[in-house]
Amino acid sequence: MAVGNRKHRHPLRGLVLVSALMAGQAFALAPEHEVRRLMLATEEAVASENWGEAGEYLNRLQQLEGNKPADYFYFRGLVMYQATHLNEAQSALETYVDNAGSEGDHYQEALKLITDVEKARKETPPRAPGAADGVKVAVIEPAGGQTLNSLRDLYLVDTDREALVMHLNSLLEVAGWREDQTIVKVDQPADVEYRVGASTDAVSIQEIRRSSDDQVVRKAESLPVFGVNPQIEWGCESMAGACWVYDPRDRSRLLQLSADRDQAREIARTLGQLIRTLQTPTGS
């Protein structure tokens, strides 16, 4: 499918919108049919270069449980690229390539877009290099180097808390851990993944673990934010094929992620920013 000239970016607002009304909506269609319907709507919006509308459909897809088609990550990467949110674009496009492989309908275009992302990165100031292996501390700054204002605009929400929660879930969606990292099955969710929420004084974390026989175990815990250090530590272990974000209360392992250092750093940074925002009365 021709997508048009990628060089002409369009100003976007609210590409990843999930309103409380929409999140609580009960769909008449079964989830698998609703996924297909929203994918078709996304494809049509992208074909007409209606990026804001495409972003809204992708938001709704993000909230649906169950497996998502590999094309979901391609369209997400494309829409994020149009919005010049390069971290999210690259993560989604790389996930698409890993899932769909060379047989994917958008394989060639995805590779070209990843190259475009690399070129766009050269136009932005480089980040300070991280230290070598071992535990890191995520320096608190707006997620991905973006201002909180830009995140609120991106997600079409009114508060920093909402924007950071949605941004953190967006990052976690492509950072799930898989036991078999040599073969990523198309449309199969990760073996370990997370979703977060936030109240006025705590971050809620839901862990979803899937076994080899497709059994799903969900575990929820609450992370109170008062009295904890928002400088979140993280680390990666090449032998284990995983990265971890550590609990600021006792430095135990909190989130088990894929072995992608950039993703782990970004998730730790965003979680820390969310904690600091909740610790500030005016930031909720």
Side-chain angles (χ1 to χ4, degrees), residues 125-146:
R127 293 180 181 175
D133 290 340
V135 174
K136 311 289 188 298
V137 175
V139 178
I140 298 298
E141 60 185 43
Q146 304 170 85

Side-chain angles (χ1 to χ4, degrees), residues 34 38 43 89 115 168 201 205 216 221 233 246:
E34 183 67 6
L38 291 174
E43 187 171 354
T115 301
L168 185 53
D201 60 357
I205 302 172
V216 178
E221 68 174 298
E233 296 181 354
Y246 296 102

Side-chain angles (χ1 to χ4, degrees), residues 8-24:
H8 299 289
R9 300 179 187 170
H10 300 270
L12 295 176
R13 292 174 65 88
L15 292 181
V16 191
L17 164 68
V18 182
S19 68
L21 179 61
M22 185 178 294

Side-chain angles (χ1 to χ4, degrees), residues 19 71 121 200 228 241:
S19 68
D71 284 359
R121 285 185 186 281
T200 56
V228 303

Side-chain angles (χ1 to χ4, degrees), residues 112-252:
K112 293 177 182 178
L113 279 169
I114 291 172
T115 301
D116 289 343
V117 169
E118 289 183 352
K119 293 178 180 178
R121 285 185 186 281
K122 295 179 180 179
E123 301 173 2
T124 61
R127 293 180 181 175
D133 290 340
V135 174
K136 311 289 188 298
V137 175
V139 178
I140 298 298
E141 60 185 43
Q146 304 170 85
T147 66
L148 289 174
N149 286 339
S150 70
L151 283 181
R152 289 198 304 270
D153 288 343
L154 174 65
Y155 294 104
L156 274 184
V157 293
D158 297 326
T159 67
D160 296 344
R161 180 178 70 183
E162 292 173 295
L164 287 164
V165 166
M166 294 173 67
H167 188 61
L168 185 53
N169 280 321
S170 176
L171 295 169
L172 289 168
E173 187 175 34
V174 294
W177 181 83
R178 288 176 166 82
E179 183 176 3
D180 185 354
Q181 301 178 46
T182 60
I183 301 176
V184 178
K185 298 179 180 179
V186 176
D187 304 341
Q188 289 298 311
D191 298 322
V192 181
E193 58 185 355
Y194 301 89
R195 293 197 64 80
V196 301
S199 62
T200 56
D201 60 357
V203 176
S204 61
I205 302 172
Q206 182 184 56
E207 179 187 83
I208 305 168
R209 287 186 176 266
R210 295 177 173 86
S211 62
S212 57
D213 57 355
D214 292 330
Q215 295 295 315
V216 178
V217 177
R218 298 174 185 269
K219 182 176 68 174
E221 68 174 298
S222 179
L223 171 59
V225 300
F226 293 109
V228 303
N229 188 348
Q231 302 283 352
I232 303 300
E233 296 181 354
W234 63 277
C236 298
E237 296 181 13
S238 56
M239 294 297 293
C243 294
W244 282 273
V245 171
Y246 296 102
D247 194 318
R249 294 169 293 186
D250 58 9
R251 300 184 71 241
S252 62

